[in-house]
Amino acid sequence: MDTSTYISLSGMAARDQEMAVLANNIANMSSPGFKAERMMFAEYLANAVGGSQISYVTQAGNNHDMSQGPLNHTGNPLDVALNGDGWMAITTPAGTSYTRSGHFQLDPQGEIVTSNGYQLQGDGGAPIVVPAGAGDVTISPDGTVSTRQGTIGHIPVVTFANPQAMTAEANNLYNTGEAPQPTTTTPIMQGTVEDSNLQPVLAITRLMNAAREMTAEKNFGDAENNRLKTAIERLGKTV
Amino acid sequence: MRSLSIAATGMLAQQLNVEVISNNIANLNTTAFKAQRAEFQDLLYQNERNVGANSSDTGTLVPVGVQIGTGVKAAAVYRITGQGNLVNTNNALDLAISGRGFFQVEMPDGTTTYTRAGSFQLSATGEIVTADGFVIQPGITLPQNTTNITVNANGQVLAQVAGQLNPQTVGQLQLVNFPNEAGLSQQGSNLLAETPASGAPVTGNPGSTAFGTIQQGFLETSNVNVVSEITNLITAQRAYEMNSKVIQTSDQMMSTLNQIQ
């Protein structure tokens, strides 16, 4: 069997993959702290009969677009956004994860938690507890958490040498095997959440591209099929 | 095609978003109504190529993996607990809480619910009740022939009885606070109920530490901000359209595949 049909098939399978990534980006348009992803493809070389090489397309990885998302003012005292590079550490049942989604709540013990009830880590990994009846919480740009009665904790901001190595873990959380580096240059903005950094124009153009590329690959496959058909018909004709 | 079902989760999320926004706008004039927001989170990821895996025998590593997300879900619909505006009504039994705290309401089944909507009335026996006739706790009964009611900032209720020179103290209103106000569950009719997430109520007099004061003759309006609701509505509508565009495109691609000769 001729390999060219398989080449167009590998192209169509790649477009299918890419569509899933694009759809996930668009579905998460309203998820705070969501980082859009881009699929990268690579050439996969295979040796064909006759010594020439043919190239299939294969998935190489997906890049997180780690750029800052737009900051959306909510006025909620427990909404915080990071203005610049950095992550906040969250204690989950499976260990420490990192997030830029700064929408927090209080649990019955007064600890600052995410919507899933996972604790926001203060200095040393301990949760930050707002004492009962303390009134409104103030979070200053350097991460100090205080009430009218005084300071109750500090939110450390950490960065990573290679944020691309982070893996998305659902619930707006990310994991990494790298060691966190504390930073003091990223201010924390109270009353603000970071929206998804998906750029709608790029998302829709990529979407249209993927559909057109799929059509092109299908047409190539069809043409190839016709060529084979004609060749077989001609060669098979008895003179 | 996974993209179809992923876009469907996106459309469902935006639909919920519009439902929450429409409830906020519908309750624009509801006394002490607190606006709500839907919060969304991404769903699980499928790891098709693991980051950090060996890419060769010499120990080179895969620098970025292939992760395919599976869509979005609603994580929470939370209340924005900010104070609403206080508007003057000149009605003696309209009580607004300026600051933190809730009035306690005794339900007909004996349970206690909580409210900040202080548009109170008198029952046939002179008790202070809500618009639905439920008694405010601790119960305060006004004597007969009361001509004037005064509620001071600290929640003391004074009644001026016809024929008497000085007003007499007839009761003390109390407020409750919760460690996590956002964790109270909504019961409709401006009432909230305690849940395991809200924590246990802490009772105190108005004006004491961490409790708000009572403003007689005022009502707390809803804290819905129309401008932000409308902009959120526009964003939600466009996001819904974009998700439907994904479905259209996926459909188009599938139809292309079906036409392969």
Side-chain angles (χ1 to χ4, degrees), chain A residues 17 19 24 27 30 60-62 103 106 108 115-116 133 167-168 171-172 222 225, chain B residues 14 39-42 48-49 51 65 67-68 71 73 78 180 196 210 250 261:
Chain A
Q17 290 270 355
M19 269 305 282
N24 189 52
S30 304
N62 40 6
H103 174 69
L106 294 179
S115 306
N116 301 73
T167 53
N171 303 331
N172 300 341
D222 284 352
N225 183 35
Chain B
Q14 294 307 334
E39 195 210 345
F40 299 104
Q41 291 182 340
D42 43 2
E48 306 214 334
R49 190 178 193 214
V51 61
Q67 283 197 298
I68 311 272
K73 67 171 179 202
Y78 61 95
N180 174 24
S250 305
Q261 290 164 1

PDB file of all heavy atoms in Angstrom, chain A residues 17 19 24 27 30 60-62 103 106 108 115-116 133 167-168 171-172 222 225, chain B residues 14 39-42 48-49 51 65 67-68 71 73 78 180 196 210 250 261:
ATOM      1  N   GLN A  17      -6.561  16.247  17.292  1.00  0.00           N
ATOM      2  CA  GLN A  17      -5.921  16.547  18.585  1.00  0.00           C
ATOM      3  C   GLN A  17      -5.969  18.049  18.865  1.00  0.00           C
ATOM      4  O   GLN A  17      -6.265  18.480  19.973  1.00  0.00           O
ATOM      5  CB  GLN A  17      -4.431  16.168  18.515  1.00  0.00           C
ATOM      6  CG  GLN A  17      -4.165  14.714  18.459  1.00  0.00           C
ATOM      7  CD  GLN A  17      -4.010  14.170  19.853  1.00  0.00           C
ATOM      8  OE1 GLN A  17      -4.029  14.933  20.801  1.00  0.00           O
ATOM      9  NE2 GLN A  17      -3.891  12.872  19.988  1.00  0.00           N
ATOM     10  N   MET A  19      -7.916  20.289  17.713  1.00  0.00           N
ATOM     11  CA  MET A  19      -9.280  20.762  17.988  1.00  0.00           C
ATOM     12  C   MET A  19      -9.628  20.570  19.457  1.00  0.00           C
ATOM     13  O   MET A  19     -10.278  21.415  20.068  1.00  0.00           O
ATOM     14  CB  MET A  19     -10.293  19.988  17.132  1.00  0.00           C
ATOM     15  CG  MET A  19     -10.590  20.620  15.801  1.00  0.00           C
ATOM     16  SD  MET A  19     -11.147  22.308  15.934  1.00  0.00           S
ATOM     17  CE  MET A  19     -12.839  22.054  16.431  1.00  0.00           C
ATOM     18  N   ASN A  24     -10.841  23.039  24.522  1.00  0.00           N
ATOM     19  CA  ASN A  24     -10.621  23.154  25.963  1.00  0.00           C
ATOM     20  C   ASN A  24     -10.268  24.599  26.341  1.00  0.00           C
ATOM     21  O   ASN A  24     -10.720  25.109  27.363  1.00  0.00           O
ATOM     22  CB  ASN A  24      -9.519  22.200  26.405  1.00  0.00           C
ATOM     23  CG  ASN A  24      -9.408  22.123  27.908  1.00  0.00           C
ATOM     24  OD1 ASN A  24     -10.385  21.883  28.597  1.00  0.00           O
ATOM     25  ND2 ASN A  24      -8.224  22.383  28.422  1.00  0.00           N
ATOM     26  N   ALA A  27     -13.563  26.497  26.126  1.00  0.00           N
ATOM     27  CA  ALA A  27     -14.490  26.105  27.197  1.00  0.00           C
ATOM     28  C   ALA A  27     -14.078  26.752  28.520  1.00  0.00           C
ATOM     29  O   ALA A  27     -14.909  27.055  29.357  1.00  0.00           O
ATOM     30  CB  ALA A  27     -14.528  24.588  27.337  1.00  0.00           C
ATOM     31  N   SER A  30     -13.881  31.318  30.988  1.00  0.00           N
ATOM     32  CA  SER A  30     -14.285  31.999  32.221  1.00  0.00           C
ATOM     33  C   SER A  30     -13.641  31.380  33.455  1.00  0.00           C
ATOM     34  O   SER A  30     -14.075  31.653  34.568  1.00  0.00           O
ATOM     35  CB  SER A  30     -15.800  31.956  32.371  1.00  0.00           C
ATOM     36  OG  SER A  30     -16.411  32.516  31.245  1.00  0.00           O
ATOM     37  N   ALA A  60       4.223  16.885  19.513  1.00  0.00           N
ATOM     38  CA  ALA A  60       5.478  17.033  20.247  1.00  0.00           C
ATOM     39  C   ALA A  60       5.216  17.464  21.689  1.00  0.00           C
ATOM     40  O   ALA A  60       5.973  17.149  22.590  1.00  0.00           O
ATOM     41  CB  ALA A  60       6.363  18.060  19.569  1.00  0.00           C
ATOM     42  N   GLY A  61       4.156  18.172  21.910  1.00  0.00           N
ATOM     43  CA  GLY A  61       3.886  18.637  23.268  1.00  0.00           C
ATOM     44  C   GLY A  61       2.940  19.805  23.211  1.00  0.00           C
ATOM     45  O   GLY A  61       2.686  20.343  22.131  1.00  0.00           O
ATOM     46  N   ASN A  62       2.377  20.202  24.353  1.00  0.00           N
ATOM     47  CA  ASN A  62       1.667  21.478  24.313  1.00  0.00           C
ATOM     48  C   ASN A  62       2.266  22.478  25.252  1.00  0.00           C
ATOM     49  O   ASN A  62       2.596  22.207  26.377  1.00  0.00           O
ATOM     50  CB  ASN A  62       0.141  21.388  24.442  1.00  0.00           C
ATOM     51  CG  ASN A  62      -0.321  20.375  25.436  1.00  0.00           C
ATOM     52  OD1 ASN A  62       0.484  19.787  26.138  1.00  0.00           O
ATOM     53  ND2 ASN A  62      -1.607  20.171  25.525  1.00  0.00           N
ATOM     54  N   HIS A 103      -9.343  33.044  43.647  1.00  0.00           N
ATOM     55  CA  HIS A 103     -10.658  33.219  44.254  1.00  0.00           C
ATOM     56  C   HIS A 103     -10.733  32.331  45.484  1.00  0.00           C
ATOM     57  O   HIS A 103     -10.825  31.119  45.375  1.00  0.00           O
ATOM     58  CB  HIS A 103     -11.762  32.882  43.269  1.00  0.00           C
ATOM     59  CG  HIS A 103     -13.079  32.926  43.954  1.00  0.00           C
ATOM     60  ND1 HIS A 103     -13.618  34.110  44.392  1.00  0.00           N
ATOM     61  CD2 HIS A 103     -13.889  31.955  44.381  1.00  0.00           C
ATOM     62  CE1 HIS A 103     -14.719  33.845  45.039  1.00  0.00           C
ATOM     63  NE2 HIS A 103     -14.913  32.548  45.055  1.00  0.00           N
ATOM     64  N   LEU A 106     -13.511  31.343  53.043  1.00  0.00           N
ATOM     65  CA  LEU A 106     -13.115  30.888  54.375  1.00  0.00           C
ATOM     66  C   LEU A 106     -13.831  29.574  54.647  1.00  0.00           C
ATOM     67  O   LEU A 106     -14.961  29.385  54.215  1.00  0.00           O
ATOM     68  CB  LEU A 106     -13.519  31.914  55.435  1.00  0.00           C
ATOM     69  CG  LEU A 106     -12.811  33.258  55.364  1.00  0.00           C
ATOM     70  CD1 LEU A 106     -13.337  34.178  56.453  1.00  0.00           C
ATOM     71  CD2 LEU A 106     -11.313  33.082  55.523  1.00  0.00           C
ATOM     72  N   PRO A 108     -15.109  26.651  57.783  1.00  0.00           N
ATOM     73  CA  PRO A 108     -15.690  26.879  59.118  1.00  0.00           C
ATOM     74  C   PRO A 108     -14.645  27.189  60.189  1.00  0.00           C
ATOM     75  O   PRO A 108     -14.950  27.807  61.208  1.00  0.00           O
ATOM     76  CB  PRO A 108     -16.404  25.558  59.428  1.00  0.00           C
ATOM     77  CG  PRO A 108     -16.619  24.918  58.121  1.00  0.00           C
ATOM     78  CD  PRO A 108     -15.558  25.386  57.196  1.00  0.00           C
ATOM     79  N   SER A 115     -12.211  27.100  46.293  1.00  0.00           N
ATOM     80  CA  SER A 115     -13.605  26.646  46.207  1.00  0.00           C
ATOM     81  C   SER A 115     -13.732  25.154  46.476  1.00  0.00           C
ATOM     82  O   SER A 115     -14.814  24.667  46.757  1.00  0.00           O
ATOM     83  CB  SER A 115     -14.174  26.934  44.825  1.00  0.00           C
ATOM     84  OG  SER A 115     -13.999  28.267  44.516  1.00  0.00           O
ATOM     85  N   ASN A 116     -12.630  24.399  46.357  1.00  0.00           N
ATOM     86  CA  ASN A 116     -12.675  22.972  46.639  1.00  0.00           C
ATOM     87  C   ASN A 116     -12.343  22.673  48.091  1.00  0.00           C
ATOM     88  O   ASN A 116     -12.266  21.514  48.482  1.00  0.00           O
ATOM     89  CB  ASN A 116     -11.688  22.226  45.751  1.00  0.00           C
ATOM     90  CG  ASN A 116     -11.988  22.432  44.290  1.00  0.00           C
ATOM     91  OD1 ASN A 116     -11.748  23.501  43.767  1.00  0.00           O
ATOM     92  ND2 ASN A 116     -12.563  21.445  43.650  1.00  0.00           N
ATOM     93  N   GLY A 133     -14.836  36.614  63.978  1.00  0.00           N
ATOM     94  CA  GLY A 133     -15.182  37.962  64.419  1.00  0.00           C
ATOM     95  C   GLY A 133     -14.103  38.991  64.173  1.00  0.00           C
ATOM     96  O   GLY A 133     -14.128  40.070  64.754  1.00  0.00           O
ATOM     97  N   THR A 167       2.458  20.849  34.821  1.00  0.00           N
ATOM     98  CA  THR A 167       1.352  20.125  34.214  1.00  0.00           C
ATOM     99  C   THR A 167       0.043  20.612  34.835  1.00  0.00           C
ATOM    100  O   THR A 167      -0.027  20.842  36.044  1.00  0.00           O
ATOM    101  CB  THR A 167       1.477  18.606  34.442  1.00  0.00           C
ATOM    102  OG1 THR A 167       1.643  18.383  35.839  1.00  0.00           O
ATOM    103  CG2 THR A 167       2.664  18.042  33.704  1.00  0.00           C
ATOM    104  N   ALA A 168      -0.979  20.754  33.998  1.00  0.00           N
ATOM    105  CA  ALA A 168      -2.288  21.183  34.479  1.00  0.00           C
ATOM    106  C   ALA A 168      -2.943  20.006  35.195  1.00  0.00           C
ATOM    107  O   ALA A 168      -2.850  18.869  34.754  1.00  0.00           O
ATOM    108  CB  ALA A 168      -3.140  21.653  33.315  1.00  0.00           C
ATOM    109  N   ASN A 171      -9.160  21.756  38.293  1.00  0.00           N
ATOM    110  CA  ASN A 171      -9.510  22.675  39.386  1.00  0.00           C
ATOM    111  C   ASN A 171      -8.615  23.914  39.401  1.00  0.00           C
ATOM    112  O   ASN A 171      -8.303  24.454  40.472  1.00  0.00           O
ATOM    113  CB  ASN A 171      -9.438  21.979  40.751  1.00  0.00           C
ATOM    114  CG  ASN A 171     -10.325  20.766  40.799  1.00  0.00           C
ATOM    115  OD1 ASN A 171     -11.345  20.712  40.120  1.00  0.00           O
ATOM    116  ND2 ASN A 171      -9.933  19.780  41.574  1.00  0.00           N
ATOM    117  N   ASN A 172      -8.156  24.350  38.240  1.00  0.00           N
ATOM    118  CA  ASN A 172      -7.289  25.527  38.096  1.00  0.00           C
ATOM    119  C   ASN A 172      -5.957  25.373  38.825  1.00  0.00           C
ATOM    120  O   ASN A 172      -5.343  26.349  39.222  1.00  0.00           O
ATOM    121  CB  ASN A 172      -7.993  26.809  38.581  1.00  0.00           C
ATOM    122  CG  ASN A 172      -9.259  27.084  37.798  1.00  0.00           C
ATOM    123  OD1 ASN A 172      -9.437  26.557  36.706  1.00  0.00           O
ATOM    124  ND2 ASN A 172     -10.130  27.900  38.342  1.00  0.00           N
ATOM    125  N   ASP A 222      -7.905  12.334  -1.109  1.00  0.00           N
ATOM    126  CA  ASP A 222      -8.815  12.001  -2.211  1.00  0.00           C
ATOM    127  C   ASP A 222      -8.067  11.952  -3.543  1.00  0.00           C
ATOM    128  O   ASP A 222      -8.234  11.020  -4.338  1.00  0.00           O
ATOM    129  CB  ASP A 222      -9.932  13.048  -2.311  1.00  0.00           C
ATOM    130  CG  ASP A 222     -10.959  12.856  -1.222  1.00  0.00           C
ATOM    131  OD1 ASP A 222     -10.870  11.826  -0.511  1.00  0.00           O
ATOM    132  OD2 ASP A 222     -11.840  13.721  -1.064  1.00  0.00           O
ATOM    133  N   ASN A 225      -5.991   8.993  -3.784  1.00  0.00           N
ATOM    134  CA  ASN A 225      -6.854   7.836  -4.010  1.00  0.00           C
ATOM    135  C   ASN A 225      -7.222   7.728  -5.491  1.00  0.00           C
ATOM    136  O   ASN A 225      -7.156   6.641  -6.088  1.00  0.00           O
ATOM    137  CB  ASN A 225      -8.103   7.991  -3.147  1.00  0.00           C
ATOM    138  CG  ASN A 225      -9.027   6.797  -3.257  1.00  0.00           C
ATOM    139  OD1 ASN A 225      -8.553   5.677  -3.397  1.00  0.00           O
ATOM    140  ND2 ASN A 225     -10.328   7.046  -3.220  1.00  0.00           N
TER     141      ASN A 225
ATOM    142  N   GLN B  14     -21.404  28.450  30.414  1.00  0.00           N
ATOM    143  CA  GLN B  14     -21.850  29.813  30.128  1.00  0.00           C
ATOM    144  C   GLN B  14     -23.350  29.960  30.371  1.00  0.00           C
ATOM    145  O   GLN B  14     -23.826  31.018  30.769  1.00  0.00           O
ATOM    146  CB  GLN B  14     -21.495  30.229  28.704  1.00  0.00           C
ATOM    147  CG  GLN B  14     -20.002  30.339  28.446  1.00  0.00           C
ATOM    148  CD  GLN B  14     -19.271  31.220  29.439  1.00  0.00           C
ATOM    149  OE1 GLN B  14     -19.843  32.128  30.029  1.00  0.00           O
ATOM    150  NE2 GLN B  14     -18.003  30.947  29.653  1.00  0.00           N
ATOM    151  N   GLU B  39     -18.221  30.434  39.656  1.00  0.00           N
ATOM    152  CA  GLU B  39     -16.780  30.271  39.461  1.00  0.00           C
ATOM    153  C   GLU B  39     -16.534  28.977  38.703  1.00  0.00           C
ATOM    154  O   GLU B  39     -17.133  27.952  39.017  1.00  0.00           O
ATOM    155  CB  GLU B  39     -16.060  30.221  40.807  1.00  0.00           C
ATOM    156  CG  GLU B  39     -14.565  30.412  40.638  1.00  0.00           C
ATOM    157  CD  GLU B  39     -13.725  29.702  41.679  1.00  0.00           C
ATOM    158  OE1 GLU B  39     -14.272  29.274  42.710  1.00  0.00           O
ATOM    159  OE2 GLU B  39     -12.529  29.557  41.429  1.00  0.00           O
ATOM    160  N   PHE B  40     -15.661  29.043  37.708  1.00  0.00           N
ATOM    161  CA  PHE B  40     -15.418  27.867  36.869  1.00  0.00           C
ATOM    162  C   PHE B  40     -14.008  27.337  37.042  1.00  0.00           C
ATOM    163  O   PHE B  40     -13.086  28.088  37.332  1.00  0.00           O
ATOM    164  CB  PHE B  40     -15.670  28.218  35.401  1.00  0.00           C
ATOM    165  CG  PHE B  40     -17.084  28.656  35.167  1.00  0.00           C
ATOM    166  CD1 PHE B  40     -17.398  29.988  34.991  1.00  0.00           C
ATOM    167  CD2 PHE B  40     -18.102  27.732  35.188  1.00  0.00           C
ATOM    168  CE1 PHE B  40     -18.709  30.394  34.811  1.00  0.00           C
ATOM    169  CE2 PHE B  40     -19.422  28.121  35.011  1.00  0.00           C
ATOM    170  CZ  PHE B  40     -19.725  29.458  34.816  1.00  0.00           C
ATOM    171  N   GLN B  41     -13.871  26.029  36.873  1.00  0.00           N
ATOM    172  CA  GLN B  41     -12.563  25.376  36.959  1.00  0.00           C
ATOM    173  C   GLN B  41     -12.403  24.405  35.801  1.00  0.00           C
ATOM    174  O   GLN B  41     -13.392  23.851  35.310  1.00  0.00           O
ATOM    175  CB  GLN B  41     -12.457  24.582  38.265  1.00  0.00           C
ATOM    176  CG  GLN B  41     -12.397  25.470  39.490  1.00  0.00           C
ATOM    177  CD  GLN B  41     -12.244  24.686  40.761  1.00  0.00           C
ATOM    178  OE1 GLN B  41     -12.534  23.499  40.793  1.00  0.00           O
ATOM    179  NE2 GLN B  41     -11.798  25.339  41.805  1.00  0.00           N
ATOM    180  N   ASP B  42     -11.156  24.161  35.402  1.00  0.00           N
ATOM    181  CA  ASP B  42     -10.928  23.205  34.322  1.00  0.00           C
ATOM    182  C   ASP B  42     -11.119  21.773  34.822  1.00  0.00           C
ATOM    183  O   ASP B  42     -10.966  21.479  36.002  1.00  0.00           O
ATOM    184  CB  ASP B  42      -9.556  23.384  33.649  1.00  0.00           C
ATOM    185  CG  ASP B  42      -8.428  23.614  34.640  1.00  0.00           C
ATOM    186  OD1 ASP B  42      -8.704  23.605  35.844  1.00  0.00           O
ATOM    187  OD2 ASP B  42      -7.289  23.798  34.195  1.00  0.00           O
ATOM    188  N   GLU B  48      -1.112  12.479  27.313  1.00  0.00           N
ATOM    189  CA  GLU B  48      -0.825  11.616  26.171  1.00  0.00           C
ATOM    190  C   GLU B  48       0.680  11.448  25.999  1.00  0.00           C
ATOM    191  O   GLU B  48       1.142  10.522  25.365  1.00  0.00           O
ATOM    192  CB  GLU B  48      -1.458  12.185  24.916  1.00  0.00           C
ATOM    193  CG  GLU B  48      -2.949  12.424  25.149  1.00  0.00           C
ATOM    194  CD  GLU B  48      -3.790  12.195  23.942  1.00  0.00           C
ATOM    195  OE1 GLU B  48      -3.257  12.335  22.835  1.00  0.00           O
ATOM    196  OE2 GLU B  48      -4.975  11.873  24.120  1.00  0.00           O
ATOM    197  N   ARG B  49       1.446  12.397  26.506  1.00  0.00           N
ATOM    198  CA  ARG B  49       2.900  12.265  26.487  1.00  0.00           C
ATOM    199  C   ARG B  49       3.358  12.945  27.764  1.00  0.00           C
ATOM    200  O   ARG B  49       3.110  14.135  27.958  1.00  0.00           O
ATOM    201  CB  ARG B  49       3.458  12.978  25.256  1.00  0.00           C
ATOM    202  CG  ARG B  49       4.911  12.697  25.027  1.00  0.00           C
ATOM    203  CD  ARG B  49       5.373  13.406  23.774  1.00  0.00           C
ATOM    204  NE  ARG B  49       6.671  12.910  23.370  1.00  0.00           N
ATOM    205  CZ  ARG B  49       7.594  13.658  22.806  1.00  0.00           C
ATOM    206  NH1 ARG B  49       7.371  14.926  22.554  1.00  0.00           N
ATOM    207  NH2 ARG B  49       8.745  13.134  22.466  1.00  0.00           N
ATOM    208  N   VAL B  51       5.388  14.806  30.561  1.00  0.00           N
ATOM    209  CA  VAL B  51       6.508  15.729  30.682  1.00  0.00           C
ATOM    210  C   VAL B  51       7.529  15.084  31.630  1.00  0.00           C
ATOM    211  O   VAL B  51       7.169  14.437  32.595  1.00  0.00           O
ATOM    212  CB  VAL B  51       6.026  17.110  31.197  1.00  0.00           C
ATOM    213  CG1 VAL B  51       5.398  17.008  32.556  1.00  0.00           C
ATOM    214  CG2 VAL B  51       7.134  18.130  31.186  1.00  0.00           C
ATOM    215  N   GLY B  65       5.070  18.068  27.842  1.00  0.00           N
ATOM    216  CA  GLY B  65       4.288  16.894  27.503  1.00  0.00           C
ATOM    217  C   GLY B  65       3.091  17.250  26.658  1.00  0.00           C
ATOM    218  O   GLY B  65       2.895  18.405  26.289  1.00  0.00           O
ATOM    219  N   GLN B  67      -0.830  17.306  26.985  1.00  0.00           N
ATOM    220  CA  GLN B  67      -1.957  17.174  27.905  1.00  0.00           C
ATOM    221  C   GLN B  67      -3.187  17.684  27.197  1.00  0.00           C
ATOM    222  O   GLN B  67      -3.184  18.793  26.681  1.00  0.00           O
ATOM    223  CB  GLN B  67      -1.724  18.042  29.142  1.00  0.00           C
ATOM    224  CG  GLN B  67      -0.753  17.460  30.125  1.00  0.00           C
ATOM    225  CD  GLN B  67      -0.913  18.163  31.456  1.00  0.00           C
ATOM    226  OE1 GLN B  67      -0.698  19.354  31.548  1.00  0.00           O
ATOM    227  NE2 GLN B  67      -1.316  17.430  32.466  1.00  0.00           N
ATOM    228  N   ILE B  68      -4.223  16.873  27.153  1.00  0.00           N
ATOM    229  CA  ILE B  68      -5.456  17.313  26.519  1.00  0.00           C
ATOM    230  C   ILE B  68      -6.490  17.503  27.629  1.00  0.00           C
ATOM    231  O   ILE B  68      -6.820  16.560  28.345  1.00  0.00           O
ATOM    232  CB  ILE B  68      -5.963  16.277  25.497  1.00  0.00           C
ATOM    233  CG1 ILE B  68      -4.840  15.857  24.559  1.00  0.00           C
ATOM    234  CG2 ILE B  68      -7.170  16.807  24.765  1.00  0.00           C
ATOM    235  CD1 ILE B  68      -4.647  16.669  23.333  1.00  0.00           C
ATOM    236  N   GLY B  71     -12.385  19.992  29.352  1.00  0.00           N
ATOM    237  CA  GLY B  71     -13.467  20.973  29.432  1.00  0.00           C
ATOM    238  C   GLY B  71     -13.491  21.733  30.734  1.00  0.00           C
ATOM    239  O   GLY B  71     -12.476  21.880  31.406  1.00  0.00           O
ATOM    240  N   LYS B  73     -15.990  23.017  34.357  1.00  0.00           N
ATOM    241  CA  LYS B  73     -17.122  22.724  35.241  1.00  0.00           C
ATOM    242  C   LYS B  73     -17.356  23.925  36.146  1.00  0.00           C
ATOM    243  O   LYS B  73     -16.445  24.746  36.333  1.00  0.00           O
ATOM    244  CB  LYS B  73     -16.823  21.489  36.099  1.00  0.00           C
ATOM    245  CG  LYS B  73     -15.700  21.748  37.085  1.00  0.00           C
ATOM    246  CD  LYS B  73     -15.530  20.627  38.076  1.00  0.00           C
ATOM    247  CE  LYS B  73     -14.364  20.954  38.998  1.00  0.00           C
ATOM    248  NZ  LYS B  73     -13.759  19.841  39.647  1.00  0.00           N
ATOM    249  N   TYR B  78     -20.870  31.545  44.387  1.00  0.00           N
ATOM    250  CA  TYR B  78     -20.655  32.140  45.706  1.00  0.00           C
ATOM    251  C   TYR B  78     -21.312  33.499  45.794  1.00  0.00           C
ATOM    252  O   TYR B  78     -21.550  34.146  44.793  1.00  0.00           O
ATOM    253  CB  TYR B  78     -19.166  32.231  46.021  1.00  0.00           C
ATOM    254  CG  TYR B  78     -18.366  33.096  45.072  1.00  0.00           C
ATOM    255  CD1 TYR B  78     -18.098  34.429  45.373  1.00  0.00           C
ATOM    256  CD2 TYR B  78     -17.877  32.587  43.888  1.00  0.00           C
ATOM    257  CE1 TYR B  78     -17.373  35.217  44.509  1.00  0.00           C
ATOM    258  CE2 TYR B  78     -17.157  33.373  43.010  1.00  0.00           C
ATOM    259  CZ  TYR B  78     -16.906  34.680  43.327  1.00  0.00           C
ATOM    260  OH  TYR B  78     -16.200  35.466  42.471  1.00  0.00           O
ATOM    261  N   ASN B 180     -17.693  31.760  58.226  1.00  0.00           N
ATOM    262  CA  ASN B 180     -17.696  31.798  56.766  1.00  0.00           C
ATOM    263  C   ASN B 180     -19.096  32.142  56.272  1.00  0.00           C
ATOM    264  O   ASN B 180     -19.914  31.261  56.024  1.00  0.00           O
ATOM    265  CB  ASN B 180     -17.233  30.445  56.210  1.00  0.00           C
ATOM    266  CG  ASN B 180     -17.361  30.375  54.715  1.00  0.00           C
ATOM    267  OD1 ASN B 180     -17.373  31.384  54.029  1.00  0.00           O
ATOM    268  ND2 ASN B 180     -17.457  29.160  54.210  1.00  0.00           N
ATOM    269  N   PRO B 196     -22.682  23.059  57.542  1.00  0.00           N
ATOM    270  CA  PRO B 196     -21.375  22.703  58.117  1.00  0.00           C
ATOM    271  C   PRO B 196     -20.265  23.633  57.613  1.00  0.00           C
ATOM    272  O   PRO B 196     -19.283  23.879  58.316  1.00  0.00           O
ATOM    273  CB  PRO B 196     -21.147  21.278  57.626  1.00  0.00           C
ATOM    274  CG  PRO B 196     -22.504  20.747  57.358  1.00  0.00           C
ATOM    275  CD  PRO B 196     -23.326  21.911  56.906  1.00  0.00           C
ATOM    276  N   ALA B 210     -16.868  43.457  66.058  1.00  0.00           N
ATOM    277  CA  ALA B 210     -17.118  42.640  64.876  1.00  0.00           C
ATOM    278  C   ALA B 210     -18.608  42.588  64.478  1.00  0.00           C
ATOM    279  O   ALA B 210     -18.960  41.919  63.520  1.00  0.00           O
ATOM    280  CB  ALA B 210     -16.586  41.225  65.019  1.00  0.00           C
ATOM    281  N   SER B 250     -16.144  21.657  14.580  1.00  0.00           N
ATOM    282  CA  SER B 250     -15.947  20.219  14.762  1.00  0.00           C
ATOM    283  C   SER B 250     -16.872  19.447  13.834  1.00  0.00           C
ATOM    284  O   SER B 250     -16.476  18.444  13.229  1.00  0.00           O
ATOM    285  CB  SER B 250     -16.249  19.803  16.193  1.00  0.00           C
ATOM    286  OG  SER B 250     -15.505  20.551  17.088  1.00  0.00           O
ATOM    287  N   GLN B 261     -13.248   9.810   0.004  1.00  0.00           N
ATOM    288  CA  GLN B 261     -13.675   8.823  -1.004  1.00  0.00           C
ATOM    289  C   GLN B 261     -12.920   7.508  -0.845  1.00  0.00           C
ATOM    290  O   GLN B 261     -11.766   7.507  -0.520  1.00  0.00           O
ATOM    291  CB  GLN B 261     -13.408   9.395  -2.388  1.00  0.00           C
ATOM    292  CG  GLN B 261     -14.339  10.544  -2.704  1.00  0.00           C
ATOM    293  CD  GLN B 261     -13.856  11.356  -3.876  1.00  0.00           C
ATOM    294  OE1 GLN B 261     -12.836  11.059  -4.483  1.00  0.00           O
ATOM    295  NE2 GLN B 261     -14.595  12.409  -4.184  1.00  0.00           N
TER     296      GLN B 261
END
